[in-house]
C-alpha cells in the first residue's frame, strides 16, 4: 500500500479512536439530530397554526433530517483543525511527515465513519417516528444523506484550515446555515426564488442533496431522475476536499 | 562529516517584531547544541524554522546537505524528531496510541521499548489526560524519538519537570548523541548548559555566541570584594590564571581588612553576563 494512503488511514483511525474515547461528543452528535427531528414533528403536529398549513410533513421529515445532519457535521468538523492547530498536534503531524492531503482526507474519512452512524440513526429514527415506509427509497435516501454529511465535513475542514481560532470559525456557522436553510429548497421552492438567489442556491451543496431528497420523498421521482443532482453533490465533495487539503499551510 | 543543519543569515519577522535576525548555525552529527537564551529571545522560532514548520523571511537553510524546498519538505521532515514546547498530544488517547501515531507505522516493539525506556510501561494504555505533567513530557519525548530520527530538535524539553527527571532526560540525550544523532536542545535553564557540547546563545533574535562550554569557561575570572574596618570597600576583577590575584591579596593591609569575598565565575554566571551585556558575537 502506498505510504500516503497508509497515512490517510492512520489519521482516520486515530480520529475514530478519539471519537470513541469521548462519549459525550459521541452521544451529542448522534442524539441531537434525532431530537431535532422530534422537535419538528412536535411543532408540525402539535401546533394548530402549523397543522392548518397542511404541510405534507411526512414528505419533508427526511429532507429536514438531512439538513440537521448537514448542520451538525459542519459545526463539529469546523472545530477539528482549529483545535489541532491550537494544541500543536497539527504542527506535530506535519513535523513527522504527514502530508496535508493525508491529514485532510484522513479527517474526512474518520469523521465520515461517525457520519455513517449519524445517517443510519437519522434515517432510521425519522422513518420510524413519522411512520414512513421507505421501501426501495431506503438506499438512495441514506446514500444522499450520508453524502451530504461528508460534504459538510469537507466544508468544515476547509473553513477551519483557513481559520486560526475558534472565534474566527463561529461566525461562519450562521453565515452558512441561515442562507442554506432558506435557499436549499427545503423551506422555499427553488423556482420561486429570484434569479440571483437561485444562482447562490446552486453554489450551496445542500441544495443538490435536498433536491434529491425532496424528489424522492415529495415529488415521487425515481433516484435515476435525480442522479445529476446527486453527482453534483459528489463533485462538490471532491472539490471541497481538494480545496481543504490545499488550504492547510504546511509552513507558517 | 557534513553538517546536518546549515543555516546562514536566517531571519523571520512577525509583524513588526523581528523574532530572528541573521542567525547562522551548523549542527554536525553526534553533538548536542544547547540553544540558550531568555524568554522571547527567538529560540522557539529558530527551532520551528529548523523543524520546517515556519519559513524564514531571509537566509538559507540546508538540512542533511540539501536545500529546503516545498517539494522535499515531507521527505526531510521524516528524518527530524521535533518536540514542541507544548505537549501536543491527543489527550483522549493512550501514550501507546500517541507514540504509534506520531511514529507513523513504527513497530509495536519499538513503541514498547521506548515507553519502557522512559518509564511509562505501566501507564502505556492510560489516556494522556490522566497523566502528570512530567509523564506527558515523557510521552511527548517518546513521540519525537519514535521514528529514530538523525536530527532531534527539542524545544524546552525539560521545562517544568522535576530535577530527577531532568537528569534522566539529559542522560537520554547523551545516549542518543553517542549513537550518532544530533540534538538541538533549547532551554532557558542555564544550569543545563553544562550538558551540551556547544552553546548557541541568543538574545532578541540574534546569535550572540556560538562556542563550547570549555571555551566559555576559559574566560572565567575571579572577582574579589574586600570590606575594610573603616566601612569602605573595594572590588577587583582578575582574568583566569592571573598571577596578580595572589600578589594583590598579599599586598592588602591585614589590620584594616574586615572581610574578603572571593567569587569565581561559573558557566552559568558567564552565560548570564553574555546574555545581559554582550552586544556582538564573540564566537570561539
Amino acid at each position: 500500500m502506498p505510504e500516503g494512503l497508509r497515512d490517510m488511514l492512520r489519521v482516520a483511525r486515530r480520529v475514530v479512536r478519539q471519537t470513541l474515547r469521548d462519549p459525550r461528543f459521541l452521544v451529542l452528535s448522534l442524539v441531537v439530530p434525532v431530537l431535532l427531528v422530534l422537535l419538528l414533528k412536535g411543532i408540525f403536529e402539535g401546533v394548530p397554526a402549523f397543522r392548518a398549513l397542511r404541510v405534507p410533513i411526512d414528505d419533508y421529515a427526511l429532507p429536514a433530517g438531512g439538513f440537521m445532519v448537514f448542520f451538525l457535521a459542519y459545526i463539529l468538523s469546523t472545530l477539528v483543525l482549529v483545535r489541532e492547530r491550537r494544541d500543536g498536534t497539527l504542527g506535530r503531524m506535519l513535523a513527522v511527515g504527514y502530508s496535508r492531503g493525508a491529514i485532510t482526507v484522513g479527517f474526512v474519512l474518520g469523521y465520515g465513519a461517525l457520519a455513517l452512524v449519524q445517517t443510519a440513526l437519522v434515517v432510521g429514527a425519522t422513518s420510524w417516528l413519522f411512520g414512513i415506509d421507505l421501501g426501495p427509497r431506503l438506499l438512495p435516501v441514506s446514500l444522499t444523506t450520508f453524502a451530504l454529511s461528508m460534504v459538510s465535513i469537507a466544508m468544515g475542514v476547509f473553513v477551519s484550515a483557513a481559520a486560526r481560532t475558534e472565534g474566527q470559525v463561529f461566525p461562519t456557522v450562521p453565515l452558512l446555515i441561515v442562507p442554506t436553510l432558506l435557499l436549499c429548497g427545503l423551506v422555499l421552492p427553488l423556482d420561486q426564488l429570484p434569479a440571483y438567489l437561485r444562482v447562490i442556491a446552486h453554489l450551496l451543496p445542500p441544495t443538490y442533496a435536498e433536491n434529491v431528497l425532496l424528489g424522492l420523498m415529495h415529488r415521487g421521482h425515481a433516484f435515476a431522475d435525480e442522479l445529476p443532482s446527486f453527482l453534483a453533490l459528489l463533485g462538490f465533495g471532491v472539490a471541497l476536499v481538494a480545496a481543504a487539503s490545499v488550504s492547510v499551510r504546511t509552513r507558517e | 562529516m557534513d553538517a546536518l543543519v546549515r543555516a546562514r543569515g536566517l531571519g523571520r519577522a512577525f509583524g513588526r517584531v523581528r523574532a530572528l535576525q541573521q542567525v547562522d548555525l551548523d549542527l554536525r552529527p553526534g553533538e548536542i547544541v544547547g540553544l540558550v537564551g531568555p524568554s522571547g529571545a527567538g529560540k522557539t522560532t529558530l527551532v520551528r524554522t529548523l523543524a520546517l514548520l515556519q519559513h524564514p523571511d531571509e537566509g538559507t537553510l540546508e538540512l542533511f546537505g540539501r536545500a529546503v524546498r516545498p517539494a522535499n519538505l515531507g521527505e526531510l521532515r521524516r528524518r527530524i524528531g521535533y518536540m514542541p514546547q507544548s505537549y501536543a498530544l491527543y489527550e483522549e488517547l493512550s501514550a501507546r496510541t500517541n507514540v504509534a501515531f506520531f511514529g507513523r507505522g513504527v513497530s509495536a516493539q519499538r513503541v514498547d521499548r521506548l515507553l519502557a525506556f522512559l518509564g511509562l510501561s505501566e501507564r502505556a494504555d492510560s489516556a494522556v489526560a490522566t497523566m502528570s505533567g512530567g509523564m506527558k513530557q515523557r510521552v511527548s519525548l517518546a513521540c519525537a524519538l519514535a521514528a529514530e530520527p538523525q536530527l532531534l530538535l527539542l524545544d524546552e524539553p525539560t521545562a517544568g519537570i522535576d530535577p530527577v527527571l531532568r537528569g534522566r532526560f539529559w542522560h537520554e540525550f547523551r545516549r542518543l548523541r553517542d549513537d550518532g544523532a544530533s540534538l538541538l536542545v533549547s532551554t532557558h535553564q542555564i544550569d543545563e548548559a553544562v550538558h551540551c557540547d556547544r552553546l548557541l546563545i541568543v538574545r532578541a533574535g540574534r546569535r550572540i555566541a556560538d562556542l563550547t562550554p570549555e571555551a566559555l569557561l576559559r574566560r572565567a575570572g575571579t572577582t574579589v570584594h574586600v570590606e575594610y574596618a573603616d566601612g569602605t570597600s573595594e572590588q577587583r576583577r582578575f582574568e583566569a590564571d592571573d598571577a596578580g590575584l595572589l600578589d594583590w591579596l598579599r599586598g592588602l593591609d591585614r589590620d584594616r581588612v574586615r572581610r574578603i569575598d572571593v567569587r569565581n565565575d561559573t558557566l552559568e554566571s558567564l552565560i548570564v553576563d553574555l546574555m545581559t551585556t554582550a552586544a556582538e558575537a564573540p564566537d570561539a
Side-chain angles (χ1 to χ4, degrees):
Chain A
M1 200 193 298
E3 197 57 29
L5 191 59
R6 268 188 224 187
D7 278 350
M8 268 175 215
L9 295 177
R10 280 183 196 118
V11 174
R13 199 164 53 220
R14 193 262 300 161
V15 167
V16 171
R17 277 186 173 181
Q18 248 180 314
T19 315
L20 292 177
R21 290 275 190 122
D22 192 349
R24 241 175 294 183
F25 171 83
L26 201 60
V27 168
L28 273 176
S29 55
L30 294 180
V31 170
V32 168
V34 179
L35 288 179
L36 290 175
V37 172
L38 206 60
L39 176 74
L40 220 57
K41 184 179 167 66
I43 289 173
F44 276 94
E45 291 184 358
V47 180
F50 277 94
R51 234 184 1 239
L53 290 175
R54 294 178 184 277
V55 174
I57 184 62
D58 292 358
D59 293 4
Y60 282 90
L62 279 161
F67 186 82
M68 309 297 179
V69 169
F70 156 73
F71 178 45
L72 268 160
Y74 176 75
I75 292 182
L76 297 176
S77 58
T78 39
L79 295 176
V80 171
L81 265 179
V82 176
R83 202 178 65 175
E84 295 243 12
R85 183 177 289 120
R86 184 198 62 202
D87 294 347
T89 45
L90 177 65
R92 193 164 210 156
M93 270 196 282
L94 290 167
V96 298
Y98 282 100
S99 72
R100 54 189 181 176
I103 293 171
T104 340
V105 180
F107 276 141
V108 176
L109 289 180
Y111 286 100
L114 182 69
L116 196 64
V117 182
Q118 211 176 34
T119 303
L121 259 176
V122 168
V123 173
T126 310
S127 329
W128 178 68
L129 281 169
F130 286 81
I132 302 165
D133 180 17
L134 279 172
R137 292 175 300 183
L138 176 65
L139 188 66
V141 164
S142 306
L143 212 59
T144 309
T145 309
F146 176 61
L148 176 60
S149 178
M150 293 290 274
V151 168
S152 54
I153 291 169
M155 277 173 103
V157 174
F158 171 59
V159 168
S160 61
R164 307 206 128 256
T165 62
E166 277 110 331
Q168 291 172 354
V169 163
F170 284 126
T172 71
V173 176
L175 192 69
L176 182 73
I177 301 301
V178 175
T180 304
L181 178 64
L182 294 173
L183 302 178
C184 71
L186 188 63
V187 179
L188 307 164
L190 279 182
D191 53 17
Q192 288 183 22
L193 294 176
Y196 76 98
L197 286 181
R198 260 206 310 274
V199 171
I200 297 175
H202 282 97
L203 294 173
L204 300 166
T207 303
Y208 299 90
E210 293 300 348
N211 198 33
V212 179
L213 292 173
L214 288 167
L216 290 167
M217 300 304 301
H218 181 57
R219 296 190 285 265
H221 291 177
F223 185 51
D225 302 329
E226 307 296 350
L227 208 55
S229 287
F230 184 74
L231 293 177
L233 180 66
L234 294 187
F236 266 102
V238 173
L240 280 165
V241 173
S245 158
V246 174
S247 57
V248 175
R249 264 169 298 187
T250 56
R251 273 211 289 179
E252 291 181 358
Chain B
M1 205 185 281
D2 289 341
L4 293 187
V5 175
R6 193 180 143 83
R8 291 291 176 272
L10 287 186
R12 176 67 202 251
F14 296 102
R16 296 169 71 178
V17 178
R18 299 192 69 188
L20 282 185
Q21 297 182 62
Q22 290 295 315
V23 173
D24 293 348
L25 167 69
D26 284 314
L27 196 56
R28 290 174 282 274
E31 68 172 347
I32 301 178
V33 173
L35 179 58
V36 184
S39 292
K43 301 190 295 293
T44 294
T45 304
L46 181 57
V47 173
R48 284 177 57 83
T49 303
L50 300 181
L52 307 180
L53 291 173
Q54 260 166 7
H55 61 80
D57 294 334
E58 46 194 42
T60 58
L61 178 60
E62 283 177 19
L63 294 180
F64 310 105
R66 296 168 58 191
V68 175
R69 293 178 217 290
N72 62 15
L73 281 181
E75 190 194 332
L76 294 174
R77 279 171 173 159
R78 284 192 272 278
R79 298 167 71 180
I80 301 172
Y82 165 63
M83 180 175 172
Q85 214 176 96
S86 63
Y87 301 126
L89 298 166
Y90 296 107
E91 298 257 336
E92 308 89 337
L93 302 179
S94 68
R96 189 193 303 281
T97 309
N98 270 284
V99 178
F101 177 71
F102 288 115
R104 288 177 69 238
V106 291
S107 70
Q109 291 90 327
R110 165 85 187 146
V111 175
D112 283 342
R113 268 205 313 274
L114 254 177
L115 292 174
F117 186 80
L118 291 167
L120 288 163
S121 291
E122 282 183 18
R123 298 291 304 275
D125 295 307
S126 305
V128 168
T130 65
M131 294 181 170
S132 68
M135 286 181 127
K136 288 180 185 175
Q137 202 81 327
R138 277 183 274 169
V139 179
S140 177
L141 179 62
C143 290
L145 300 180
E148 300 185 65
Q150 291 166 270
L151 172 62
L152 276 156
L153 305 169
L154 312 177
D155 196 1
E156 305 214 0
T158 57
I161 61 174
D162 66 67
V164 177
L165 188 55
R166 264 172 74 185
R168 278 176 62 183
F169 267 36
W170 279 104
H171 178 79
E172 168 68 356
F173 297 159
R174 284 194 295 270
R175 195 190 63 80
L176 288 161
R177 173 203 56 196
D178 295 342
D179 288 347
S182 287
L183 295 89
L184 180 75
V185 183
S186 86
T187 180
H188 61 248
Q189 307 192 64
I190 298 165
D191 58 327
E192 296 189 324
V194 70
H195 300 293
C196 303
D197 300 314
R198 197 149 57 82
L199 299 171
L200 186 74
I201 301 172
V202 289
R203 194 186 63 183
R206 287 182 182 276
R207 182 185 78 166
I208 54 174
D210 182 353
L211 72 188
T212 63
E214 293 75 23
L216 189 53
L217 275 171
R218 278 198 288 277
R219 300 181 191 174
T222 302
T223 305
V224 183
H225 185 86
V226 182
E227 277 177 30
Y228 295 105
D230 60 6
T232 58
S233 64
E234 75 175 305
Q235 184 164 299
R236 281 278 193 109
R237 183 175 162 80
F238 297 89
E239 295 310 313
D241 307 322
D242 185 346
L245 170 63
L246 277 178
D247 293 340
W248 185 74
L249 284 173
R250 282 194 196 101
L252 290 173
D253 180 353
R254 287 188 194 178
D255 297 334
R256 277 186 64 216
V257 172
R258 190 169 69 190
R259 177 188 156 89
I260 301 177
D261 188 11
V262 179
R263 198 173 302 156
N264 290 314
D265 289 339
T266 61
L267 191 56
E268 291 163 44
S269 67
L270 288 164
I271 294 172
V272 171
D273 277 353
L274 264 179
M275 288 199 303
T276 49
T277 59
E280 269 309 299
D283 288 3

